[in-house]
Structure formats: structure tokens, C-alpha cells
Amino acid sequence: MPQKRRPPPQKTHSETIGQRLARLRRERGLNQTEVASSLGVSQATVSAYERDAARLVSDHIVALTSILQVSSDELLGV
């Protein structure tokens, strides 16, 4: 008897903004200190953003799109 095909597994985990920020930063070869310097904040603040321990403020979202050369939609996962 032929086996039934199973549908591909559903994606159960979506990337958080912090995880996306960390991934995009690493893909561009930047470290947290470099991003922090460009934003005018401490490295600890960038770390908090990447751990989703702090919310990104609108000014930093705009600046990050320039630093990472992505759209705000891509950064925010829209």
C-alpha cells in the first residue's frame, strides 16, 4: 500500500525583531560596538535590543535601516 505524502512542516517559530537585528548585523560583518557607535548608544543597549529586552525607538529604527542598508519592512519583519 502506498504511503501518504505528509505536508511539509509548518513554520512554528518566527524571528523576533531582536533576532532579526542580530542576524542582519552579523550578515553585514558588524559587531555590536560598531552599531552602537553609529546609533550613539552603548553596546549594552544594542545587546538589549537583540535580546528583545528593550524596545527599539523610532529614531533608532530609521538609523538602523541606513546602517544595515535594509528597508524598515525588512528590519521589522513586515
Side-chain angles (χ1 to χ4, degrees), residues 35-63:
V35 172
S37 176
S38 295
L39 284 177
V41 298
S42 69
Q43 177 272 329
T45 299
V46 174
S47 175
Y49 286 158
E50 291 184 359
R51 290 180 288 113
D52 296 303
R55 289 189 179 180
L56 281 167
V57 295
S58 59
D59 291 347
H60 290 172
I61 292 170
V62 172

Side-chain angles (χ1 to χ4, degrees), residues 2-37:
Q3 291 183 339
K4 292 182 180 179
R5 286 190 167 189
R6 294 182 187 195
Q10 294 288 328
K11 188 174 181 181
T12 58
H13 179 275
S14 61
E15 198 174 42
T16 67
I17 293 173
Q19 291 168 336
R20 193 171 308 105
L21 171 59
R23 177 180 53 79
L24 291 167
R25 174 185 57 76
R26 286 190 302 267
E27 286 175 356
R28 280 135 185 88
L30 299 170
N31 62 40
Q32 288 181 344
T33 303
E34 292 167 326
V35 172
S37 176

